[in-house]
């Protein structure tokens, strides 16, 4: 290889390594999941739900607190009780009971309580905490699938826009070549001026396609970079091509069954409905007695030098009998449980609609593909037949450029159908909760550059 050839090769390779970065679908999804803020929010939600469960479980241990207080007063009842607590009460104290001197007291102590029975409030709170934690995890998994689909959609869109831009570039280049020949023939009077200017009009249309599709490609690449948490100007590209990928097909019944049994949003709504039902039960049980074992130990002194200690142990029972809002609260909880159950039922119906819609779109694209491919091939064949006839003077340059325009439109329709085939495959996987890491890797391998 000569030095000149080496220089040219390096010239064309350097921009790709220095400025552009091409990612496979698998790599793009991995990067996007790490950068997505919705997923970060869901992770925080999961952590919060787990902390709530931990809080409910630890509430079984009751509470423990330290106490300290300084008091100074002449209230007779206060002075009498304080003297008894300090151990300084005597018969002489009776003479001043109605007009005591200033009494000071330093108190320090500890107090603890352990719930023995709470009307099932703690056990139900733990139950709610567990279901809430599971629902949060289900929400995270569903959000992850949704973000995976969003990135897949954007990655596929870049593939489509890049291919359309390439087709428009080739089409304009070919049309310009034909127009150069037509210009020379026109100057010799061998091509009608009306045909020549009509052909120029078609070329202008093709240039418009090229301009618009170039701009669309730039925009979609910027949107892909943003979805991956990167600078929009980083020139991120999708490493792949649109192919007639052959995916393992499943029936509508199989997909619906998979969705009903595995959709994480349905699981989360199911947990939320159970939480609402448990909350309703807790409200009904709010009239049950609450029993707590408690104990306290405290010391009292007038001078911070001679403390007298005392303790108190016991059982405390509390029954709420006078809550006028009890029935209103119970009805509110019942209504919320009913709404949660209705939301769950409606979501299950919507799952069937989503699966049917995605599968119908996929099948429509798959069945349209042979037609789009045949149309493209026929358009190309027509163009190839026009060119020699034009050069022999038996066809107008106008007809050649019309055929060129038809080829571009047919090619664009074919690749748009390929795009839909892959996109609706991903949408079907999302609807049936099977758009997992393995499915992404399968699509990535199908569409990788060959």
């Amino acid at each position: 290889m000569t030095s000149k050839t080496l220089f040219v090769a390096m010239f064309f390779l350097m921009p790709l390594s220095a400025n552009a970065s091409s990612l496979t679908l698998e790599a793009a999804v991995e990067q996007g999941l790490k950068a997505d803020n919705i997923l970060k929010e869901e992770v925080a939600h999961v952590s919060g739900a787990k902390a709530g469960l931990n809080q409910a479980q630890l509430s079984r241990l009751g509470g423990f607190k330290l106490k300290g207080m300084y008091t100074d007063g002449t209230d007779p009842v206060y002075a009498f009780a304080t003297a008894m607590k300090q151990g300084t009460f005597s018969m002489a104290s009776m003479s001043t009971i109605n007009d005591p001197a200033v009494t000071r007291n330093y108190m320090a102590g500890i107090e603890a309580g352990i719930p023995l029975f709470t009307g099932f409030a703690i056990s139900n709170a733990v139950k709610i905490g567990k279901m809430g934690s599971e629902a949060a995890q289900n929400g995270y998994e569903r959000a992850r699938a949704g973000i995976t689909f969003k990135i897949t959609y954007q990655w596929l869109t870049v593939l489509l826009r890049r291919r359309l831009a390439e087709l428009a570039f080739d089409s304009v280049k070919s049309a310009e070549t034909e127009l150069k020949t037509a210009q020379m023939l026109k100057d010799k009077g061998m091509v009608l001026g009306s045909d020549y200017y009509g052909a120029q009009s078609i070329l202008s249309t093709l240039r418009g396609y090229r301009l618009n599709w170039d701009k669309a490609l730039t925009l979609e690449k910027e949107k892909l970079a943003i979805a991956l948490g990167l600078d929009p100007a980083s020139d991120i590209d999708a490493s792949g091509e649109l192919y007639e990928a052959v995916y393992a097909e499943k029936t509508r019944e199989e997909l619906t069954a998979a969705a009903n049994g595995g959709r994480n949003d349905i699981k989360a709504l199911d947990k939320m409905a159970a939480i609402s039902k448990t909350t309703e039960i807790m409200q009904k049980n709010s009239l049950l007695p609450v029993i707590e074992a408690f104990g306290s130990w405290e010391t009292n002194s007038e001078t911070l030098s001679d403390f007298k200690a005392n303790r108190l142990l016991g059982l405390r029972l509390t029954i709420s009998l006078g809550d006028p809002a009890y029935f209103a609260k119970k009805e509110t909880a019942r209504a919320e449980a009913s709404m949660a159950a209705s939301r769950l039922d409606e979501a299950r119906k919507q799952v069937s609609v989503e699966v049917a819609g995605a599968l119908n779109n996929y099948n429509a694209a798959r069945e349209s593909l042979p037609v789009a491919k045949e149309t493209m091939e026929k358009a190309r064949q027509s163009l190839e037949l026009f060119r020699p006839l034009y050069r022999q003077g038996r066809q107008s340059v106008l007809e050649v450029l019309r055929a060129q325009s038809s080829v571009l439109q047919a090619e664009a329709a074919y690749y748009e159908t390929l795009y839909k085939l892959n996109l609706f495959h991903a949408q079907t996987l999302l609807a049936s909760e099977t758009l997992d890491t393995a499915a992404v890797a399968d699509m990535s391998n199908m569409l990788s550059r060959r």
Side-chain angles (χ1 to χ4, degrees):
M1 180 182 291
T2 65
S3 60
K4 182 178 179 180
T5 305
L6 179 62
F7 174 78
V8 171
M10 291 178 63
F11 177 80
F12 283 104
L13 290 174
M14 283 177 60
L16 293 176
S17 59
N19 301 321
S21 178
S22 293
L23 296 176
T24 64
L25 174 58
E26 193 173 12
V29 168
E30 182 180 358
Q31 171 69 25
L33 291 175
K34 291 178 182 178
D36 192 81
N37 289 312
I38 293 177
L39 276 189
K40 293 177 182 177
E41 179 183 351
E42 290 297 329
V43 169
H45 187 196
V46 172
S47 297
K50 290 180 178 179
L53 170 60
N54 194 34
Q55 177 183 347
Q57 292 171 330
L58 291 175
S59 65
R60 290 179 171 137
L61 302 178
F64 177 85
K65 55 186 177 182
L66 298 175
K67 302 187 297 181
M69 182 169 58
Y70 167 76
T71 53
D72 183 323
T74 59
D75 178 78
V77 175
Y78 161 75
F80 182 82
T82 300
M84 294 186 69
K85 289 181 179 181
Q86 293 174 349
T88 60
F89 185 81
S90 64
M91 292 304 296
S93 302
M94 297 294 293
S95 62
T96 60
I97 191 170
N98 290 322
D99 187 21
V102 174
T103 302
R104 298 179 178 84
N105 184 59
Y106 297 92
M107 185 274 288
I110 56 176
E111 183 176 319
I114 299 177
L116 302 179
F117 179 72
T118 60
F120 310 107
I122 291 179
S123 59
N124 281 326
V126 171
K127 183 179 179 181
I128 288 175
K130 289 180 179 178
M131 291 187 292
S133 180
E134 292 171 358
Q137 184 64 37
N138 292 142
Y140 165 78
E141 295 295 341
R142 186 57 184 170
R144 182 183 175 90
I147 300 305
T148 298
F149 176 75
K150 182 184 77 171
I151 296 168
T152 301
Y153 160 77
Q154 192 58 50
W155 188 86
L156 288 171
T157 303
V158 170
L159 287 190
L160 173 64
R161 287 300 176 184
R162 188 180 67 220
R163 187 62 183 135
L164 293 180
E166 291 170 350
L167 293 173
F169 177 84
D170 292 341
S171 183
V172 168
K173 185 177 179 181
S174 178
E176 287 175 342
T177 300
E178 298 296 344
L179 259 295
K180 287 179 181 179
T181 304
Q183 174 68 51
M184 292 186 293
L185 296 175
K186 173 179 172 293
D187 293 341
K188 296 178 181 180
M190 298 175 64
V191 173
L192 294 175
S194 58
D195 287 357
Y196 175 76
Y197 291 117
Q200 278 195 326
S201 174
I202 295 175
L203 176 58
S204 296
T205 300
L206 297 177
R207 285 171 174 167
Y209 283 135
R210 183 179 67 179
L211 175 63
N212 291 333
W213 291 351
D214 282 345
K215 293 292 185 183
L217 172 61
T218 300
L219 174 61
E220 298 303 334
K221 289 170 70 173
E222 290 178 355
K223 289 164 67 175
L224 178 60
I226 292 171
L228 302 185
L230 303 173
D231 186 346
S234 57
D235 196 21
I236 289 295
D237 199 2
S239 177
E241 297 289 349
L242 291 172
Y243 294 112
E244 296 182 26
V246 179
Y247 298 109
E249 296 182 16
K250 292 184 179 181
T251 65
R252 177 176 172 178
E253 290 72 20
E254 289 174 329
L255 292 170
T256 301
N260 288 331
R263 277 275 291 255
N264 281 298
D265 53 344
I266 299 298
K267 291 180 180 179
L269 287 173
D270 189 31
K271 299 293 190 308
M272 297 308 296
I275 287 174
S276 296
K277 193 65 180 177
T278 304
T279 302
E280 180 185 5
I281 294 173
M282 290 178 69
Q283 185 56 46
K284 290 179 181 178
N285 291 341
S286 63
L287 293 181
L288 293 177
V290 175
I291 303 174
E292 178 188 24
F294 69 92
S296 66
W297 177 86
E298 68 176 48
T299 61
N300 294 271
S301 173
E302 184 179 11
T303 62
L304 280 177
S305 60
D306 186 18
F307 283 94
K308 181 180 180 182
N310 61 78
R311 66 173 178 82
L312 181 64
L313 302 174
L315 295 175
R316 183 162 44 223
L317 183 145
T318 306
I319 302 178
S320 177
L321 297 177
D323 185 1
Y326 170 76
F327 292 102
K329 291 177 180 177
K330 188 171 73 170
E331 182 62 24
T332 298
R334 188 198 67 77
E336 290 178 351
S338 177
M339 288 189 294
S342 297
R343 282 194 295 269
L344 176 59
D345 290 341
E346 183 59 29
R348 284 175 174 153
K349 292 179 182 178
Q350 189 62 31
V351 163
S352 298
V353 173
E354 290 179 11
V355 169
L359 186 59
N360 180 74
N361 290 337
Y362 172 76
N363 287 332
R366 181 170 55 84
E367 293 169 9
S368 299
L369 190 58
V371 177
K373 186 175 183 179
E374 182 182 9
T375 302
M376 178 183 67
E377 291 173 348
K378 294 296 184 184
R380 287 174 175 174
Q381 184 179 7
S382 175
L383 176 60
E384 292 305 316
L385 291 174
F386 267 119
R387 280 176 175 153
L389 293 175
Y390 158 64
R391 293 187 177 96
Q392 295 170 12
R394 297 167 59 187
Q395 283 290 350
S396 167
V397 68
L398 179 61
E399 297 302 325
V400 175
L401 262 69
R402 281 176 178 168
Q404 184 74 61
S405 178
S406 296
V407 168
L408 178 60
Q409 293 174 20
E411 289 175 333
Y414 170 71
Y415 282 101
E416 285 173 359
T417 305
L418 281 181
Y419 166 77
K420 291 177 181 178
L421 178 75
N422 289 279
L423 178 63
F424 292 141
H425 169 69
Q427 188 179 37
T428 302
L429 295 178
L430 175 66
S432 59
E433 201 65 87
T434 52
L435 187 59
D436 53 16
T437 303
V440 171
D442 180 49
M443 286 191 67
S444 184
N445 292 332
M446 288 277 190
L447 300 174
S448 294
R449 289 186 182 275
R450 297 179 184 176

